[in-house]
Amino acid sequence: MAKHRNRASDAQRTAVQQALDEAFAAGRLDHFEHFERIRTATKAKYIDELRPLVADLRGGDDDLGLDGDDDDNAPTGSAYTGWDARRREDLSHAKRGWTIGIAVAVAVLGIAGGAIAASVSDGSSNAATDEVGPGLLHTENGVTRLLAETESEFPAQEIDSILIYGEYATLSQQDPADPHKRITHEFRGGWEERRFDPIQADADLTVSSIDAADVMAAITAATGVLELDPDKTVISHVQVSADALGDPEFRVSASEGKYGDLGTATFGPAGQVREVTLPD
C-alpha cells in the first residue's frame, strides 16, 4: 500500500528555488538547467517532486524542510515532465547564447538598480545567507521598471498571470498559435520566452491594468494582515492574476528567513483583503 504523499508548501518550493539559484550562481547549473528546475519547482504539488531537483546538488535536503513520507510509487529519474520535446531541443541548442545574453542583461540591471540595491544591503548578494530584506523587484523602483518593460514587451496583449519574485519574475500567456498551449516567459533584466506547456492558459489580464503602487501596497499590507515581524519576514513572491471581473488580484506569499512558511494573503484591486491562508 502506498504511503501518503505530503503536499509541498510555498516555503518548501521557495527553499528549493533558492538552492537552485545558489547552484546557478556557483556555476553548478547552466541557465537552461536552472530555468527548467525552477519552473518544475514552481509547479510542484508534492515534496517528492521537489527532492529530485536538488538531489545532485546537495549532500542532503534536511535543511530545505523536505523531510516527510514519500509515496512508494514516487517518480524516479528525470523530474522534468510535460515539456514539448521539440521545443526543449531548440532551447538546448540556444542555451549558450541565452547564458551570455542573460549575463549581460543582469549586469545592466545591476548597474541601473545599484542605488536601489544599496539601500537594501551592502551591495553583496544575500542568496546564500539568512539576511532579511526585499529583493530588487520587491521595491517600488524595481516593480515600476518591471511593469514598464512588461507593458513594452507585451503591448495590448492579455496574459494569464505574472509572478514577481525578489530577483526575477515569470509571466504566462496563451500561445497565439495554439489555444491549448501556454507560453512561459522569464524576466532577469529583460523578458525571454522560455517554455511551452500543453496547458491552456487564461487570457484575461492586461499588463496596463497592473499598477506598481498596488503591488507594493499588497506587499506592505501582507505583513500586517498575517501579523508578521517585518524584521524576520521575507516576501517570497507576489502572484498577479485576474479576478472574476478581470481586475488584478494580488496573492502575496511570505516566509521567515529562507524556509519558514508564514502563509499567504490575497488582495483585490482596491487593497481589500479577500483571503488569508495560514500554515498548519
Side-chain angles (χ1 to χ4, degrees), residues 151-199:
E151 189 170 359
S152 176
E153 183 73 16
F154 305 95
Q157 297 182 37
E158 291 188 334
I159 66 172
D160 177 56
S161 65
I162 180 170
L163 274 70
I164 307 174
Y165 294 83
E167 305 300 335
Y168 68 98
T170 62
L171 177 148
S172 64
Q173 64 177 169
Q174 191 177 70
D175 181 1
D178 187 342
H180 300 293
K181 284 189 177 181
R182 178 181 65 189
I183 309 175
T184 296
H185 308 261
E186 184 181 70
F187 180 91
R188 289 184 183 270
W191 284 107
E192 294 284 346
E193 185 178 290
R194 285 292 179 258
R195 178 176 178 174
F196 280 70
D197 293 300
I199 303 172

Side-chain angles (χ1 to χ4, degrees), residues 82-227:
W83 277 79
D84 182 298
R86 178 178 56 80
R87 182 64 180 170
R88 180 171 179 176
E89 181 178 357
D90 291 342
L91 293 179
S92 180
H93 288 307
K95 67 181 181 181
R96 182 183 298 276
W98 287 355
T99 303
I100 296 173
I102 291 298
V104 172
V106 170
V108 171
L109 177 61
I111 294 173
I116 302 172
S119 67
V120 175
S121 67
D122 61 1
S124 60
S125 172
N126 65 359
T129 71
D130 289 325
E131 295 178 11
V132 174
L136 178 62
L137 296 184
H138 287 170
T139 64
E140 183 175 358
N141 287 344
V143 172
T144 299
R145 179 175 182 271
L146 168 67
L147 293 179
E149 296 205 15
T150 304
E151 189 170 359
S152 176
E153 183 73 16
F154 305 95
Q157 297 182 37
E158 291 188 334
I159 66 172
D160 177 56
S161 65
I162 180 170
L163 274 70
I164 307 174
Y165 294 83
E167 305 300 335
Y168 68 98
T170 62
L171 177 148
S172 64
Q173 64 177 169
Q174 191 177 70
D175 181 1
D178 187 342
H180 300 293
K181 284 189 177 181
R182 178 181 65 189
I183 309 175
T184 296
H185 308 261
E186 184 181 70
F187 180 91
R188 289 184 183 270
W191 284 107
E192 294 284 346
E193 185 178 290
R194 285 292 179 258
R195 178 176 178 174
F196 280 70
D197 293 300
I199 303 172
Q200 186 168 346
D202 294 328
D204 48 15
L205 180 68
T206 58
V207 178
S208 60
S209 68
I210 307 173
D211 192 294
D214 293 337
V215 176
M216 291 306 302
I219 290 175
T220 302
T223 302
V225 169
L226 296 173
E227 299 182 352

